[in-house]
Amino acid sequence: MKLPAYAAALVSAVLVTSLAGTSTTSVAHVADVRALPSVNMEATVKAAQIDPRRPDNALTPGAQASVLLIEQALRDRKLLDTKYVDGHFGTTTVAAYAAYQKSLGYTGLAANGLPGKTSLTKLGAGRFTVTRVIEPGARVPTGGVVINTRTRAMLTEAERLLGRTFVLDQGSYNPGGDPTSAGTHDGGGAVDISVKGMDAATRTEAVRALRRVGFAAWLRSPAQGDWPWHIHAVAISDTDLSSQAQHQVGDYYLGRNGLADRGPDDGPKVSIRTWEEYRRN
């Protein structure tokens, strides 16, 4: 059936108006999103590991603006006092963020006080966007232990640099598996690597390779604790880190050894960077 000329014109006008309205709405939405400030997740997670271990309220370079946006959002949710909205992601802000995660129904590692992608996106709804996203990835079995895909990729690259395959004595997500680990392996990102068959020089080079790709890594000796020679490595900025592993990463940035005595770092000196920073450079 052919529409009369006037009817066809009316249908055409309705369609044009509808499409124009949709286009205008879409453009307005994009403009609103672009108008929002952004939170750099990489910088924020880095600050959440380092700042609680600082002896003062110094700020993590490059993180202040993002941390302030998060603290303001936590303040508006009555989870953080105004006096702590200062750009320093210290213990009080970590506790406030953990409380926010719990308010979303998260438990365990999902409420560890480190901003994860999902919780950070929800916190920023209508307030800020999230850039430089970090994700630990799925848990995967590797060499008889469990790690996540981000950690596995990091280990693979460190092996390539070293020219040697690692043997893992302990993986991640292993709560209570080894009491001498003091909880560092309860979450993601932590591994212990066997040094059997390595001479002293190779051990040092193994630690160096791990540090280059984004691990806080140290060679551990029996003189330091109730354990055999091994390399302990923690993937910097893994958002599944246990609180103990978070502290080790913070201490690594501050030039310490990651042990309870917080002694000076005894490993090879390299430029500290995360896995994401390594891949970009």
Side-chain angles (χ1 to χ4, degrees), residues 94-155:
V94 169
Y97 200 91
Y100 163 65
Q101 290 170 318
K102 291 174 184 176
S103 77
L104 297 176
Y106 298 163
T107 59
L109 296 175
N112 63 359
L114 283 183
K117 176 187 175 183
T118 303
S119 63
L120 192 55
T121 300
K122 288 182 178 180
L123 182 65
R127 302 182 67 111
F128 57 75
T129 59
V130 181
T131 62
R132 299 282 192 184
V133 172
I134 302 170
E135 293 185 274
R139 301 182 189 187
V140 290
T142 301
V145 300
V146 175
I147 55 178
N148 59 48
T149 54
R150 180 176 182 267
T151 303
R152 182 175 64 182
M154 294 170 67
L155 287 170

Side-chain angles (χ1 to χ4, degrees), residues 43-255:
T44 299
V45 172
K46 190 184 294 184
Q49 296 163 101
I50 303 170
D51 290 355
R53 306 300 284 175
R54 295 185 186 279
D56 50 30
N57 289 330
L59 306 178
T60 294
Q64 182 180 14
S66 294
V67 174
L68 278 171
L69 288 169
I70 292 171
E71 290 177 329
Q72 289 162 0
L74 293 172
R75 176 201 61 199
D76 293 349
R77 288 174 177 265
K78 311 300 182 186
L79 295 171
L80 186 67
D81 289 342
T82 299
K83 65 182 178 181
Y84 296 114
V85 181
D86 56 5
H88 174 84
F89 211 121
T91 55
T92 303
T93 302
V94 169
Y97 200 91
Y100 163 65
Q101 290 170 318
K102 291 174 184 176
S103 77
L104 297 176
Y106 298 163
T107 59
L109 296 175
N112 63 359
L114 283 183
K117 176 187 175 183
T118 303
S119 63
L120 192 55
T121 300
K122 288 182 178 180
L123 182 65
R127 302 182 67 111
F128 57 75
T129 59
V130 181
T131 62
R132 299 282 192 184
V133 172
I134 302 170
E135 293 185 274
R139 301 182 189 187
V140 290
T142 301
V145 300
V146 175
I147 55 178
N148 59 48
T149 54
R150 180 176 182 267
T151 303
R152 182 175 64 182
M154 294 170 67
L155 287 170
T156 298
E157 177 61 8
E159 289 174 334
R160 186 189 70 80
L161 293 176
L162 183 64
R164 186 186 186 107
T165 301
F166 291 129
V167 175
L168 302 184
D169 287 336
Q170 185 176 187
S172 309
Y173 308 106
N174 188 31
D178 183 352
T180 66
S181 297
T184 56
H185 292 263
D186 288 5
V191 294
D192 284 346
I193 299 169
S194 172
V195 296
K196 185 177 181 180
M198 295 185 190
D199 59 23
T202 303
R203 294 175 181 181
T204 298
E205 288 309 305
V207 174
R208 189 188 311 278
L210 290 160
R211 289 185 170 198
R212 284 181 59 190
V213 303
F215 283 100
W218 300 271
L219 178 64
R220 299 302 195 207
S221 74
Q224 295 172 315
D226 184 21
W227 49 61
W229 283 96
H230 68 282
I231 295 171
H232 177 65
V234 179
I236 298 169
S237 293
D238 186 312
T239 55
D240 276 353
L241 293 179
S242 68
S243 60
Q244 297 89 338
Q246 293 175 38
H247 293 165
Q248 286 188 321
V249 170
D251 282 354
Y252 175 59
Y253 270 97
L254 298 175

Side-chain angles (χ1 to χ4, degrees), residues 15-34:
L15 285 172
V16 168
T17 301
S18 176
L19 289 171
T22 301
S23 177
T24 301
T25 301
S26 177
V27 170
H29 174 71
V30 171
D32 287 343
V33 170
R34 288 179 178 174

